[in-house]
Amino acid sequence: LLNILGKAEKASLKARELGLRFLTFSEGGEPYKKTMQLKPLLSEAAEIIKGDWGVDFDFDLSKDLWHISCDPDQIHQAFMDLMMNAAEAMNGKGTIEITAENSEVIASGIQPLQPGKYVKMVFKDSGEGISPEHLPRIFDLYFSTRQRVSQKGLGFGLSIVYSILKRHKGHIDVTSQVGIGTEVTVYLPAYVR
């Protein structure tokens, strides 16, 4: 009986998580922003992914990182999805490298970002990489490169990350090489007094 109850609890938590992800993706998931430090959000997400997947993390965060104005639950979800994708790509083996630094975007800078101050993060894995024909579709809802039934992704992760960052007036860019790995660059507006 305890085994059945445990499975039921796990299924209900998964259903809750899926519901929250749909809410985030839907129009009703607007951010409720607070001024926050980035490091605790990254560290908490990394601890969960490390526990679930067994991957290691190598952080290189600037000591003087600007604060960000964000919805902590939504940004935590975005970081979780990015780290989970990296862990899956590496089959739970290896190290995910995460760097963060202050960045100022000028008028002729990175599009579609408005000029201003941002915190730039790079998530780098040494996984299987994404093929050039799949790369343009990675933010499409329901698109997944996992084809085997046991590994078939639902195709929500990067769609939700893209939606969250867009609502925060941020940006995401992905470069990848098959057999070498993937690098995801994220910009979030900085809160600078």
Side-chain angles (χ1 to χ4, degrees), residues 21 24-26 31 74-75 77-79 81-82 85 111-113 135-141 155-174 184-188:
R21 293 176 85 188
T24 299
F25 192 78
S26 74
Q74 289 188 13
I75 293 302
Q77 180 66 56
F79 291 164
D81 286 343
L82 290 172
N85 279 357
Q111 296 302 324
L113 291 176
L135 204 52
R137 299 190 56 210
I138 59 173
F139 299 120
D140 293 352
L141 187 59
F156 294 142
L158 287 178
S159 301
I160 289 172
V161 171
Y162 179 85
S163 178
I164 289 170
L165 293 175
K166 186 175 178 184
R167 290 196 180 133
H168 281 80
K169 295 181 175 37
H171 182 64
I172 183 170
D173 184 54
V174 179
V184 178
T185 304
V186 170
Y187 290 84
L188 280 169

Side-chain angles (χ1 to χ4, degrees), residues 40 53 58 99 146 154 156 175 193:
W53 285 89
D58 181 16
T99 61
R146 309 260 183 248
L154 297 174
F156 294 142
T175 58
R193 288 187 249 180

Side-chain angles (χ1 to χ4, degrees), residues 82-125:
L82 290 172
M83 293 176 190
M84 189 168 20
N85 279 357
E88 286 177 353
M90 298 189 310
N91 293 316
K93 298 176 184 122
T95 302
I96 299 170
E97 297 173 29
I98 301 175
T99 61
E101 63 185 6
N102 298 329
S103 178
E104 193 152 356
V105 173
I106 55 173
S108 61
I110 298 146
Q111 296 302 324
L113 291 176
Q114 296 294 318
K117 296 180 187 251
Y118 292 83
V119 175
K120 174 185 174 185
M121 292 153 279
V122 178
F123 299 78
K124 187 175 183 181
D125 69 57

Side-chain angles (χ1 to χ4, degrees):
L1 182 64
L2 286 177
N3 189 26
I4 294 170
L5 288 174
K7 287 180 181 180
E9 180 183 27
K10 191 173 182 179
S12 68
L13 290 173
K14 281 280 195 191
R16 178 183 177 272
E17 178 187 337
L18 189 57
L20 289 172
R21 293 176 85 188
F22 272 124
L23 177 63
T24 299
F25 192 78
S26 74
E27 290 301 317
E30 288 300 317
Y32 177 74
K33 295 182 180 178
K34 297 179 182 178
T35 302
M36 312 237 359
Q37 290 183 340
L38 184 67
K39 186 177 180 180
L41 291 170
L42 286 169
S43 297
E44 184 181 320
E47 283 301 313
I48 293 168
I49 297 300
K50 185 175 184 174
D52 289 349
W53 285 89
V55 294
D56 289 317
F57 286 87
D58 181 16
F59 286 98
D60 183 9
L61 310 179
S62 294
K63 293 189 187 328
D64 63 344
L65 271 182
W66 292 323
H67 285 65
I68 56 173
S69 179
C70 72
D71 181 317
D73 293 332
Q74 289 188 13
I75 293 302
H76 181 265
Q77 180 66 56
F79 291 164
M80 290 278 295
D81 286 343
L82 290 172
M83 293 176 190
M84 189 168 20
N85 279 357
E88 286 177 353
M90 298 189 310
N91 293 316
K93 298 176 184 122
T95 302
I96 299 170
E97 297 173 29
I98 301 175
T99 61
E101 63 185 6
N102 298 329
S103 178
E104 193 152 356
V105 173
I106 55 173
S108 61
I110 298 146
Q111 296 302 324
L113 291 176
Q114 296 294 318
K117 296 180 187 251
Y118 292 83
V119 175
K120 174 185 174 185
M121 292 153 279
V122 178
F123 299 78
K124 187 175 183 181
D125 69 57
S126 58
E128 60 197 40
I130 304 166
S131 66
E133 64 269 13
H134 288 150
L135 204 52
R137 299 190 56 210
I138 59 173
F139 299 120
D140 293 352
L141 187 59
Y142 302 119
F143 178 75
S144 175
T145 58
R146 309 260 183 248
Q147 297 305 318
R148 288 182 279 167
V149 174
S150 64
Q151 292 183 342
K152 180 71 173 159
L154 297 174
F156 294 142
L158 287 178
S159 301
I160 289 172
V161 171
Y162 179 85
S163 178
I164 289 170
L165 293 175
K166 186 175 178 184
R167 290 196 180 133
H168 281 80
K169 295 181 175 37
H171 182 64
I172 183 170
D173 184 54
V174 179
T175 58
S176 189
Q177 289 184 288
V178 174
I180 294 175
T182 301
E183 190 171 290
V184 178
T185 304
V186 170
Y187 290 84
L188 280 169
Y191 175 81
V192 181
R193 288 187 249 180

